[in-house]
Amino acid sequence: VIRLVLWLSRPRQPGELWRVHPHTHWTCDHDYPMNISIADVKDLIGTPWRLGSANRSDGLGCWGLVREVLRRSGVSVPDPWDGVERTEARVESVFAALSEEFESARWIQADPRDASPGDVILFGGAPGEPSHAGVFLAGGVLIHSVRSIGVVAVPYSRVVGRAIRAYRRAAA
């Protein structure tokens, strides 16, 4: 199935015409098996941040949020925090454990500048080493959990320059 996702910008002044928004794009279910939109996850926005947590009632860490967003699309990913002390010092080892999942045949590495809905986007702390994650949504939006704010959705264009890797679910 191929479809056009058309985004229109409202007129800003009387007499101005509707404009095609830059987030207009084609999608193809074969190439992009997940079509996650902000509507699918809007209830998560505003959830407080909590390091390593995957329990929404306690707050969500970045990976807990990624797991929840993917779960809603029928994709199960491991909890690298399972059995690990939840401290800032453990973040690096948690992301190292995730590399096994992303190196499996279930995922393919993609260019973060060419993200598609459902892509897991990794951001770096130390050069080349991931320390934060989010999910790219339809419409050019990234949902992620930020320490000082909690779960937010932001235009991906604001953060793409800090993305170091993107992983896309391999087509079945």
Side-chain angles (χ1 to χ4, degrees):
V1 175
I2 298 176
R3 64 184 158 265
L4 173 66
V5 179
L6 183 64
W7 291 86
L8 298 173
S9 295
R10 287 184 181 271
R12 293 183 184 152
Q13 299 173 4
E16 189 175 286
L17 300 174
W18 285 75
R19 295 182 318 249
V20 175
H21 195 272
H23 293 301
T24 295
H25 62 281
W26 293 94
T27 64
C28 172
D29 288 343
H30 176 72
D31 293 331
Y32 310 120
M34 290 188 283
N35 193 18
I36 305 169
S37 73
I38 193 70
D40 300 320
V41 296
K42 67 181 176 184
D43 62 302
L44 297 172
I45 294 175
T47 302
W49 176 87
R50 183 165 181 205
L51 178 65
S53 176
N55 183 340
R56 185 172 170 202
S57 62
D58 293 337
L60 291 170
C62 66
W63 189 251
L65 174 67
V66 167
R67 289 183 71 218
E68 176 60 19
V69 171
L70 295 179
R71 182 194 66 77
R72 291 178 181 201
S73 295
V75 176
S76 175
V77 291
D79 181 3
W81 286 98
D82 192 28
V84 174
E85 182 183 4
R86 286 165 163 70
T87 66
E88 290 289 335
R90 303 298 299 176
V91 170
E92 188 175 310
S93 64
V94 164
F95 276 95
L98 289 173
S99 67
E100 287 182 33
E101 171 68 16
F102 289 127
E103 289 172 10
S104 74
R106 297 172 6 139
W107 297 89
I108 55 173
Q109 191 164 351
D111 185 336
R113 295 169 300 188
D114 189 30
S116 296
D119 284 2
V120 175
I121 310 296
L122 301 181
F123 298 88
E129 295 301 319
S131 62
H132 184 62
V135 178
F136 184 85
L137 306 174
V141 174
L142 179 84
I143 189 167
H144 64 133
S145 188
V146 181
R147 175 190 312 254
S148 59
I149 303 170
V151 176
V152 295
V154 297
Y156 186 61
S157 59
R158 287 182 35 201
V159 296
V160 66
R162 296 189 304 259
I164 59 170
R165 292 188 204 118
Y167 290 95
R168 183 170 297 149
R169 185 84 169 142

